[in-house]
Amino acid sequence: MPTTLPVPISFRLPEGWLPASPPEGPDAPGVAFAAVHPVSDAGFTANITIDGEYRPDTATLAQLADESVERLSEVVGAVAVAHRREIDSDGAPAVTQQLTFSAVAGGVRRDLVQSQVYLSLLDVRDPRERAVIRLALTATPAQHETVLADFQDFVRTVRPNSGDEV
């Protein structure tokens, strides 16, 4: 069952990507939105997911990214952090990380790459309330480089939605 995000956002999907039903199960808790690439690679369809939660604690985005690695490793086993970068652009903190792992998808064990972006958003009505939004791209290693530019374009379109936007 898809969930709603703690704060409304707006975004634009890359050309050709299609909205999809959010995945269910222990490896995809709380997904609020999902989209799929129109071309599969070796039976796996690259996908973008969005989830988020209120985080009233003082955990840093890097600590939240570590939590994500731990949760994923509980489901799939070994997860390697191939790259991580912290960004503080104009007071809008973010963390990006790239994970590699092997998981069963479509009944077949596959090597996968997941690029994640963590965004910290303050509630405009109550700045003491902090929401963290996670954007994730999951693809095969062969397709990841092809769809990464689409994901980066997608991330650049994500904005808090004041309710006036569609």
Side-chain angles (χ1 to χ4, degrees), residues 5 20 29 39 52 56 82 87 91 105 108 130 137 159:
L5 293 172
V39 179
I87 303 164
V108 177
R130 174 179 69 141
L137 165 70
R159 302 276 183 274

Side-chain angles (χ1 to χ4, degrees), residues 7-152:
V7 294
I9 62 171
S10 64
F11 55 86
R12 192 175 62 252
L13 281 177
E15 188 173 330
W17 286 76
L18 305 167
S21 297
E24 296 181 20
D27 57 335
V31 171
F33 179 83
V36 293
H37 191 266
V39 179
S40 295
D41 176 48
F44 184 83
T45 304
N47 60 78
I48 293 172
T49 58
I50 304 172
D51 63 70
E53 63 183 328
Y54 273 111
R55 288 300 297 237
D57 59 8
T58 59
T60 66
L61 290 177
Q63 289 169 324
L64 298 178
D66 286 339
E67 287 177 14
S68 180
V69 171
E70 286 178 38
R71 280 191 310 271
L72 184 59
S73 68
E74 290 171 1
V75 175
V76 301
V79 175
V81 178
H83 175 75
R84 181 179 287 169
R85 189 172 117 202
E86 295 186 50
I87 303 164
D88 189 8
S89 172
D90 296 328
V95 166
T96 65
Q97 68 179 3
Q98 187 176 85
L99 311 176
T100 59
F101 57 94
S102 178
V104 175
V108 177
R109 180 155 293 281
R110 303 172 190 280
D111 290 334
L112 298 172
V113 178
Q114 187 173 83
S115 291
Q116 299 178 338
V117 176
Y118 285 83
L119 305 173
S120 182
L121 304 172
L122 296 178
D123 187 316
V124 293
R125 291 171 294 222
D126 185 356
R128 293 171 297 178
E129 293 289 334
R130 174 179 69 141
V132 175
I133 304 296
R134 181 178 67 156
L135 314 168
L137 165 70
T138 307
T140 63
Q143 193 176 30
H144 187 263
E145 287 306 313
T146 305
V147 296
L148 182 59
D150 284 351
F151 181 63
Q152 291 166 334

